[in-house]
Amino acid sequence: MLKDITLGQYFPGDSILHRTDARIKILMLIVYLVFVLCAKTAFAFGFVVIATGLLVMISEIPLKTVLKSLKPLLFVLLFTAVINLFFANGEDILWQWKFIKIYREGIENAVKMVIRLTSLVTGTSVLLTYTTSPLDLTDGIERLLVPLKKIGVPVHDFAMMMSIALRFIPTLIEETDKIISAQKARGADFESGNIFARAKALIPILVPLF
């Protein structure tokens, strides 16, 4: 599962998004995120799906890679969908069993939340990390925040910290995967037992990792 996490990785290419200035992509991302978070109607969510699909196509990032980035979020997506499906109130009851009721509004909310979360992750990855090298991203952030230098904000340090944080996500994932494999070779078990036993089993991973 760790190998499926592509957050923070950069995929070299020659697409339009790869060649676009990092500052423009950052501004595009801000507009995109605002629209996704403010979307409420079915038309708006349909536009979000189309826009996200177009971004993936323009980036020329393989669809398989994009889908892999969503795989670690399946639990979050399912949990969010279930919460909205079974605990949302409404007027039109579509199905009922004892105290469990499913409303049309609940289904709509579940679909909207899944689309919103999926679009946020996909759009952010495609517009920034997948198509922008860490160096270009750092320069873009620094140039956009240049006006803040006049009030004493350490813009360069701030941009560098963000770049380093994104850059080391793949490194940490790779090191974690190596440590888990080494511990399993020594007989460690990370899957059996209750939640407390599993949490305790993570200690041999976290200590060498940090």
Side-chain angles (χ1 to χ4, degrees), residues 101-177:
K101 299 179 181 179
I102 295 180
Y103 297 89
R104 179 179 58 83
E105 292 81 359
I107 296 177
E108 291 178 355
N109 290 338
V111 173
K112 288 178 179 179
M113 285 302 299
V114 170
I115 293 175
R116 180 171 282 139
L117 291 175
T118 303
S119 300
L120 288 174
V121 175
T122 303
T124 303
S125 300
V126 170
L127 276 172
L128 277 189
T129 56
Y130 286 175
T131 59
T132 312
S133 67
L135 181 59
D136 291 339
L137 183 57
T138 302
D139 291 339
I141 295 174
E142 185 172 355
R143 291 175 182 176
L144 283 177
L145 299 180
V146 162
L148 297 180
K149 285 185 176 181
K150 297 180 180 180
I151 58 176
V153 176
V155 172
H156 178 73
D157 296 340
F158 178 73
M160 185 62 68
M161 284 189 296
M162 291 188 63
S163 177
I164 291 174
L166 289 172
R167 169 62 184 84
F168 273 90
I169 290 176
T171 303
L172 287 174
I173 293 173
E174 182 180 355
E175 291 299 320
T176 302
D177 193 51

Side-chain angles (χ1 to χ4, degrees), residues 20-99:
T20 303
D21 189 278
R23 291 171 292 179
I24 297 177
K25 285 189 281 189
I26 293 172
L27 295 176
M28 288 174 56
L29 177 62
I30 293 174
V31 174
Y32 174 84
L33 294 180
V34 170
F35 189 84
V36 171
L37 293 174
C38 294
K40 293 182 179 180
T41 64
F43 176 80
F45 277 96
F47 182 80
V48 167
V49 173
I50 295 174
T52 305
L54 288 175
L55 287 175
V56 174
M57 290 178 59
I58 294 173
S59 69
E60 298 181 2
I61 301 295
L63 182 61
K64 182 179 180 180
T65 300
V66 177
L67 294 178
K68 282 176 63 177
S69 69
L70 298 174
K71 188 176 180 181
L73 296 176
L74 282 179
F75 175 77
V76 176
L77 294 174
L78 290 174
F79 180 77
T80 304
V82 169
I83 291 296
N84 283 276
L85 183 63
F86 291 102
F87 294 94
N89 295 322
E91 298 179 356
D92 300 332
I93 299 178
L94 300 180
W95 183 80
Q96 181 177 0
W97 181 72
K98 295 184 179 181
F99 63 90

